[in-house]
Amino acid sequence: MINGAYSAIGGIFERLNKDCGYFQWSQYLIKTLKCENAGLKGADVGCGNGYFTRALEKSGYDMIGIDSSPEMLSEAVNLARKEGIRAPFVQGDIKRLALGFKADFIVAINDVINYIPQTELEKTFKKVHSNLKKGGIFIFDISSEYKLRTLLGNNLFCEDEEDYSLIWFNTLFEDRVEMNLTLYSSKGDGVYSRKDERHIQYIHSESGLLQILQSAGFTVRCEGHLGGSKEQRINFICKKI
């Protein structure tokens, strides 16, 4: 049975992404928030296992972590507890975001917006806008068209660790990449369990997102990953008008 995104890998997502440069990425976020004079009360939407929630909380921000995956959130709570972080983690979806307060900033990091189809982008950005204070900051990134079409689309990836193995098949379509993942987890004594899940990442253009964001009530600037190249990842720094 193939389940939804992060039902299988949600509990080990942070481990799977250990080479993504979490620390440098978190420092980029903190620097950007300071440059934008953002306040201290923020939400990390699509928080995954909570690395950025924890990093921002440690840096003096008052954070809440939000994710749609129970498996992601369970591990986020465990990791936060181990590090003495008191930020709450709650289940929620950026497309229907309802914080219950006006945030100084919202971040949605590591492809969160790639999971939203084109037809739902305007509604999503308006929802984010409504949860921010006037002048509030919204920071998110996308995997670029080049990355999804050329590097990920129609490719196969494998990862083999002592306690798990992951096989990842990608199929490219005109507007998206469909990803089928199979995770084999060790149960000891040479026995493994198998779980399958499917992801769909939608291909968005920088110019298309800019137009929708501006229509939703944001001023926007864009730059590449960590302020560098836009080839594989593009960052959007948005301010609520």
Side-chain angles (χ1 to χ4, degrees), residues 187-205:
K187 301 177 71 173
D189 298 324
V191 177
Y192 283 76
S193 64
R194 172 178 172 166
K195 293 182 179 179
D196 299 278
E197 67 179 45
R198 175 174 293 156
H199 297 236
I200 300 176
Q201 287 204 10
Y202 294 91
I203 299 169
H204 302 311
S205 69

Side-chain angles (χ1 to χ4, degrees), residues 73-114:
L73 291 170
S74 178
E75 182 64 7
V77 170
N78 291 336
L79 292 172
R81 185 181 297 119
K82 289 177 182 178
E83 296 183 17
I85 300 298
R86 295 180 176 273
F89 290 91
V90 299
Q91 190 170 8
D93 186 337
I94 192 170
K95 297 192 296 293
R96 294 178 287 277
L97 188 63
L99 295 177
F101 63 89
K102 296 288 187 179
D104 293 312
F105 67 90
I106 294 171
V107 297
I109 306 303
N110 201 1
D111 297 345
V112 173
I113 301 302
N114 286 110

Side-chain angles (χ1 to χ4, degrees), residues 114 147-150 152-155 168-179 199-203:
N114 286 110
K147 178 182 176 182
L148 289 172
R149 293 191 188 279
T150 306
L152 296 185
N154 292 330
N155 277 317
W168 177 9
F169 296 88
N170 294 338
T171 304
L172 175 65
F173 295 88
E174 179 60 31
D175 64 336
R176 68 195 186 279
V177 175
E178 294 190 4
M179 309 172 179
H199 297 236
I200 300 176
Q201 287 204 10
Y202 294 91
I203 299 169

Side-chain angles (χ1 to χ4, degrees), residues 44-96:
D44 179 10
V45 185
C47 67
N49 290 161
Y51 185 94
F52 299 114
T53 310
R54 302 194 309 273
L56 289 166
E57 185 83 14
K58 290 175 186 177
S59 295
Y61 294 97
D62 181 11
M63 296 300 298
I64 180 173
I66 299 169
D67 203 281
S68 60
S69 164
E71 293 81 7
M72 285 283 216
L73 291 170
S74 178
E75 182 64 7
V77 170
N78 291 336
L79 292 172
R81 185 181 297 119
K82 289 177 182 178
E83 296 183 17
I85 300 298
R86 295 180 176 273
F89 290 91
V90 299
Q91 190 170 8
D93 186 337
I94 192 170
K95 297 192 296 293
R96 294 178 287 277

Side-chain angles (χ1 to χ4, degrees), residues 12 29 42-43 78 101-102 122 124 130 137 147 210 215 235:
I12 60 169
L29 283 177
N78 291 336
F101 63 89
K102 296 288 187 179
E122 184 176 6
T124 299
S130 71
I137 304 299
K147 178 182 176 182
L210 280 171
S215 176
N235 289 288

Side-chain angles (χ1 to χ4, degrees), residues 156-193:
L156 165 67
F157 301 89
C158 301
E159 183 167 338
D160 187 28
E161 297 289 342
E162 185 174 342
D163 58 339
Y164 71 84
S165 294
L166 178 67
I167 305 172
W168 177 9
F169 296 88
N170 294 338
T171 304
L172 175 65
F173 295 88
E174 179 60 31
D175 64 336
R176 68 195 186 279
V177 175
E178 294 190 4
M179 309 172 179
N180 289 297
L181 283 68
T182 298
L183 178 70
Y184 296 94
S185 301
S186 174
K187 301 177 71 173
D189 298 324
V191 177
Y192 283 76
S193 64

